[in-house]
Every structure is written in C-alpha cells, then in structure tokens.
Amino acid sequence: MKKVVIVILCLLTIMVKGQNLVPNPSFEIYDTCPDMGGQVNRATGWYNYGNTPDYYNACNSSFFNVPNNTFEYLLAYNGNAYVGMELYNQADTSYKEFIGANLNGSLQIGQRYYVTAEFSLASQISLSMAINKVGIKFSTISYSENYLPQYDNFAQIVSNNFIADTGTWYQLRGSFIADSAYTKIIIGNFFQYYLTDTLWINNNPSISYYFIDMICVSTDSTTCYSNLQDGINENALPKPISLFPSPNNGTFTLQYNLSAAGSLRVTDVLGREVYAYNLTNRSGQETISLPLSQGIYFWQVLQEHSVSA
C-alpha cells in the first residue's frame, strides 16, 4: 500500500491581514442539529438578534434540511448549511428577523473593510416577495430575540436593488471605512416599511423570506469578493475535502469524501508532525480540537492507494 497526498492547504491560527473576520461564516459548525424553527443559535458563533430566524443543515432530515427543506430546494452556497429569515411582512410591517455574531476582533477606526454575503429568495408563493434594503450592519451592541436592533434606516452595506434570485445565490457586496471599533455584525432589514420597496415574484405573496450563506468581512477585497458576477460561485460548491473555518483557534471541522481509507496529518512550519488521525469513514464531517499555540500549520489528507510492485 502506498499513501498518496490528496490535498495540502494552510491552517492558520493567528489573525493576519486578509482573513475573514466572521466566525463560522457559512454556518457549517453547529453544537446541535436543528429540529425546529428559530434555532439559529445552534450554529456556533451565531445568535438570534430578533424574533425567530431559522437554521438549516443537511443533518436535519425533514423541514430544515439542506438542500430540500419546507420552503425551497436550494443547495448551500458553501458546505451544507445556511440560515433563513423573514425580512419583511406585509401584514405586520414591524415584524423582522435578525441574526448577529461577534467578529474575530474589533474593527480598526479608519480602516476600509470589504463585505459580502450570499442571499437567495424563497420561491414558495407566500414567501416570494423580493425587497430592496437588505442590509449588513456593524455595531458594538448585542441584541436578542426580544431586544431587536432599531429600524433607524441605516446599515453600512445595503442593497438598493431588489434581490429576487430564487434557487441560486446573489452576492451582496460593498465596502466601508470603520468609524468605530465595531465588534458585532448584524444581518437584516433596518429600514422602515415606507422606505422598503417590494416586488412580487409570484401572485399574492405576504412575506419576504431570504436564505443567507457565506458571510465575509476583510481588509482584503480578494478574500471576500467572488470572481464571478452576481449568482452562484461554482468554486464555492462543496469540495471532496474541505477544512473550515480557516483561520481558526485550533478547533475546526474537516469535511471529506474519499474513495479509500484516509488520515489527517498536521505539521508545523518546520515540517514536524503535531497531530495525526485516522479518519473513521471514507466520507463524513468531523469536528477536531487541537491544543495549538499561535502560528502557521499545514494540513494534509492522505488516502491509501494500492500500486503494483
């Protein structure tokens, strides 16, 4: 038997320029599989910042499955999870849902930050009301299910056009210069109803419900912006082997799909092995925690391959 390296990538555990400051940016890491609505808190690092935003993951076999859920058949932009939330309700214009997270470090005043997030409108008839004013906001204040952000008609990143893509993904992107040491990122609709325009995709919709995936904040535009125009980025579809998040603090998730038995090997910059682990299955997802000091590490997935003598 001969072991052949399938892939080698960097695993960073220190904050460097160009990293994504959003923890668990595509909601892949979770502590418990969602089994009902309003459980965005089960995605590690994310919080309910208003009412009942939903968490979808492939681990759920029914209503909150990815890609086949109660509202849409929709592949994740990245990995196997995303969040769904109501951003406008025609019958109750004061009702909106928000999600939030603590950034991996405070923003630096005077620094320009580049921001992206993927959005997709649910196509179910009652939910298919597209809106403008979908926003990404930065704050120093934490919110909760019953303590919502103010509808103050402001967000640092706002879509002034309708986001009407269904069954695929639209990348909302923009940049801003931080005027405060913001520590939180919030996603939602921060505008009053009279400033929010609507567009019917199907007949008689009553709610605007969006799926959200792959959120990015960085000082480097190339970290966040996709190479494609608005729509799904084929390069972001699930890979046979992926490790996320990267950078991380030593806890990460390895997702793999191999044709034979394999193992994970982690080495430091001098090539010394610091961790080795035999993968229990040929495919799956495993969360691993390593007591690593800050630095740069390399990871390899090796797959057994038979060769003739």
Side-chain angles (χ1 to χ4, degrees):
M1 301 290 285
K2 179 180 179 181
K3 288 188 175 180
V4 179
V5 176
I6 300 299
V7 65
I8 178 169
L9 291 173
C10 292
L11 165 64
L12 306 181
T13 60
I14 57 175
M15 185 174 294
V16 294
K17 182 178 180 180
Q19 79 168 84
N20 185 358
L21 297 176
V22 179
N24 196 12
S26 58
F27 312 103
E28 300 302 312
I29 304 173
Y30 60 94
D31 55 26
T32 309
C33 186
D35 54 18
M36 60 183 299
Q39 294 181 336
V40 70
N41 292 34
R42 294 193 175 186
T44 303
W46 287 94
Y47 302 95
N48 181 344
Y49 269 21
N51 291 309
T52 58
D54 304 316
Y55 180 43
Y56 297 81
N57 195 298
C59 65
N60 180 282
S61 60
S62 57
F63 297 117
F64 297 94
N65 176 257
V66 174
N68 190 21
N69 58 69
T70 188
F71 294 146
E72 185 75 80
Y73 183 91
L74 178 67
L75 292 168
Y77 181 85
N78 183 74
N80 295 296
Y82 42 71
V83 165
M85 51 196 290
E86 187 175 321
L87 300 185
Y88 186 88
N89 187 313
Q90 189 166 256
D92 182 0
T93 54
S94 65
Y95 184 89
K96 299 174 185 178
E97 296 175 344
F98 297 87
I99 60 172
N102 297 321
L103 296 168
N104 294 326
S106 303
L107 301 192
Q108 298 179 12
I109 297 174
Q111 172 69 55
R112 179 173 294 278
Y113 290 88
Y114 298 88
V115 183
T116 59
E118 305 295 330
F119 289 87
S120 184
L121 178 67
S123 64
Q124 188 184 76
I125 290 177
S126 63
L127 306 177
S128 58
M129 181 185 294
I131 63 169
N132 61 358
K133 304 303 182 186
V134 174
I136 304 173
K137 192 170 187 175
F138 295 85
S139 174
T140 58
I141 302 173
S142 294
Y143 297 92
S144 65
E145 178 178 352
N146 299 313
Y147 176 50
L148 281 64
Q150 292 183 342
Y151 303 168
D152 57 1
N153 304 322
F154 172 77
Q156 283 85 355
I157 308 299
V158 181
S159 171
N160 289 314
N161 300 317
F162 293 110
I163 297 180
D165 298 60
T166 62
T168 185
W169 294 94
Y170 173 97
Q171 185 177 89
L172 174 61
R173 63 173 67 177
S175 69
F176 74 104
I177 297 176
D179 58 358
S180 185
Y182 297 117
T183 56
K184 323 286 183 184
I185 183 172
I186 313 170
I187 298 177
N189 175 7
F190 304 90
F191 289 77
Q192 298 284 349
Y193 76 95
Y194 61 86
L195 292 176
T196 303
D197 294 329
T198 60
L199 175 68
W200 290 14
I201 305 302
N202 289 313
N203 292 330
N204 300 318
S206 58
I207 293 172
S208 180
Y209 189 92
Y210 282 91
F211 299 100
I212 300 98
D213 199 2
M214 201 57 205
I215 302 153
C216 184
V217 178
S218 178
T219 58
D220 181 4
S221 63
T222 61
T223 299
C224 296
Y225 291 179
S226 69
N227 293 323
L228 301 180
Q229 296 300 316
D230 297 331
I232 191 164
N233 180 352
E234 297 295 340
N235 293 325
L237 293 174
K239 307 295 193 302
I241 304 171
S242 60
L243 184 149
F244 50 86
S246 180
N248 59 64
N249 62 2
T251 298
F252 55 87
T253 296
L254 180 69
Q255 193 173 69
Y256 56 94
N257 184 13
L258 308 176
S259 59
S263 61
L264 170 68
R265 181 173 181 260
V266 179
T267 59
D268 62 16
V269 292
L270 298 178
R272 295 174 299 194
E273 183 176 284
V274 297
Y275 180 78
Y277 176 71
N278 291 325
L279 301 176
T280 55
N281 301 295
R282 292 187 180 181
S283 63
Q285 176 175 297
E286 300 186 37
T287 298
I288 300 169
S289 293
L290 303 180
L292 299 176
S293 57
Q294 288 189 346
I296 299 176
Y297 298 85
F298 299 91
W299 62 272
Q300 298 173 312
V301 170
L302 301 100
Q303 178 177 298
E304 293 184 355
H305 178 65
S306 298
V307 294
S308 301

